[in-house]
Structures are given as structure tokens and as C-alpha cells.
Amino acid sequence: QVQLQESGPGLVKPSGTLSLTCAVSGGSIFSNNWWTWVRQPPGKGLEWIGEIYNSGSTNYIPSLKSRVTISIDKSKNQFSLKLSSVTAADTAVYYCARDVDQHYFDCWGQGTLVIVSS
Amino acid sequence: EIVLTQSPATLSVSPGEGATLSCRASQSVSSNLAWYQQKPGQAPRLLMYGAATRAPGTPARFSGSGSGTEFTLTISSLQSEDFAVYYCQQYDNWRTFGQGTKVEIK
């Protein structure tokens, strides 16, 4: 069974870059799936950030497109998120997930809290 | 952007009773709608997709219906493990989520 695990710094300074990695185990990142990032500000709802396919093809939510990069590391069976020029509004739990046919998300990591603060 | 509006924001239900959660889309999403359950401190869990198809492991007491702009998630008889926040998500145009409905114990 596929499992996902996020990792990365829990604290990022304002104007800095948030960097997270999602390790995929129990399955190949080369499978016929997209891989995605979703975030959830404390006490609030869910926001889809973007997705990547094993070919490296990406899609991003328009509101974040200028600041987001999602990449894939085939050798490590993982994918990553970079979000630049962060502010306190980017404070959230960040989840990685498996994206079925660019539709819904059937397998999630446990999430990692990233706080933007000086 | 397609906006999903969930109602009510909070639903107070006694164990064993049924619950009906609504999700309304700002424009038609056909049947491209999923439902998730989220418990405190946990990741969301996929319950339904295609508006009415249960994901593997979803108990039969959960059912989904609707198409176009109006959708419903029904829980026929609430068990203790069902008290959680429920989100709808559309995948007709990009991906957006509703703001959630909290199902709490009455």
C-alpha cells in the first residue's frame, strides 16, 4: 500500500522560501498517477496548490503560480514543493497526496506544519 | 474559480441518528465531486468520488448523491467514529474544496 511522508523545516522566515519533500513508499512514483500538494491554514479549510506527473509536467493554482515550483526526483521516489516569498498567510499544514487522474486524492501524507515567522 | 458552499457549517447529531450534508457549486461540475472526512490532527480521508461512488473502505452507511450544482452526503446512522469535519471537492475545473461541515455530537 502506498504511503506518503512529508518532511522539511517547520519554521520559515518571512520573504524566504518554503521547501518540503514528499517521500513515496510502497509504490513507484512512476505509476500512472499525478502527485499533489494541498495546504490547510490552522483552523481553516483545504486549498489545492498544484500537481506533478512523473514526466515532470505540472499544474499550479493560478493564485500561487508565480511563487510555486513542484518537482520530482525519480531516483529517490519523491517529489517536492517550493513556495517563495512567503508571508504569515502561508502558515499552514502542508499535505502531499496521490492524485487519481487529476481528479481526487486517495492517499495522503500525515501533513507537516510550516509556520512563517521571524 | 468554482466555489463550493457547504451547509450547514455545523451539524449536531445524536449517535444512531442520520445526517445530511449539502454542497452547492457556483457552476455545474457534472458528477465531478468528491467527499472527504477529516478528524482532528489527521489528514483528510477520501470517502466518495464521482458524487456517488464509495471509495474502498468507506462504510455502506455513507451515500452520496447529486449532479450539476447540488450534492448531498448522507450518513444513515452515525457511529462514534463519524464525528468529524467533512469536505466536498470538485475536480471539473482545477480543484477546489468547500469550507467544510463539522458533524458534532449532540
Side-chain angles (χ1 to χ4, degrees):
Chain A
Q1 181 170 343
V2 172
Q3 293 185 313
L4 293 87
Q5 176 74 54
E6 305 90 348
S7 61
L11 181 64
V12 181
K13 294 188 186 309
S15 77
T17 297
L18 178 159
S19 297
L20 296 174
T21 296
C22 180
V24 179
S25 60
S28 173
I29 206 161
F30 289 97
S31 62
N32 189 26
N33 288 291
W34 288 73
W35 304 94
T36 202
W37 289 95
V38 174
R39 69 179 181 178
Q40 184 172 37
K44 296 188 178 180
L46 300 160
E47 179 181 43
W48 179 69
I49 297 171
E51 62 187 357
I52 189 165
Y53 193 63
N54 60 36
S55 64
S57 180
T58 55
N59 292 299
Y60 304 127
I61 189 172
S63 60
L64 294 176
K65 189 174 183 178
S66 63
R67 299 195 289 130
V68 172
T69 301
I70 297 176
S71 60
I72 199 163
D73 187 333
K74 301 171 186 177
S75 65
K76 294 183 178 179
N77 215 41
Q78 63 186 31
F79 61 105
S80 300
L81 169 71
K82 290 188 185 298
L83 181 66
S84 63
S85 304
V86 297
T87 68
D90 295 310
T91 293
V93 175
Y94 285 77
Y95 295 99
C96 59
R98 184 171 68 180
D99 185 344
V100 180
D101 294 335
Q102 295 181 285
H103 289 167
Y104 47 86
F105 315 123
D106 70 337
C107 185
W108 296 66
Q110 87 283 359
T112 187
L113 174 63
V114 179
I115 297 173
V116 178
S117 175
S118 56
Chain B
E1 175 183 316
I2 297 176
V3 176
L4 298 179
T5 303
Q6 293 187 241
S7 61
T10 303
L11 190 58
S12 298
V13 185
S14 298
E17 290 185 342
T20 300
L21 289 66
S22 295
C23 177
R24 174 176 292 177
S26 60
Q27 64 189 72
S28 176
V29 298
S30 187
S31 295
N32 297 319
L33 191 103
W35 289 94
Y36 299 84
Q37 176 193 69
Q38 187 178 34
K39 297 179 181 179
Q42 296 185 18
R45 170 197 166 197
L46 178 68
L47 289 178
M48 314 285 299
Y49 60 90
T53 302
R54 280 188 289 273
T58 300
R61 61 181 179 273
F62 290 88
S63 62
S65 63
S67 65
T69 61
E70 300 283 345
F71 299 88
T72 299
L73 177 69
T74 301
I75 311 171
S76 60
S77 175
L78 271 115
Q79 307 297 302
S80 57
E81 61 267 30
D82 300 334
F83 292 95
V85 179
Y86 292 82
Y87 293 95
C88 56
Q89 175 240 321
Q90 65 81 20
Y91 47 91
D92 191 75
N93 185 339
W94 294 108
R95 257 60 64 81
T96 54
F97 292 88
Q99 82 281 15
T101 290
K102 181 179 181 180
V103 178
E104 64 177 22
I105 299 175
K106 186 174 182 181

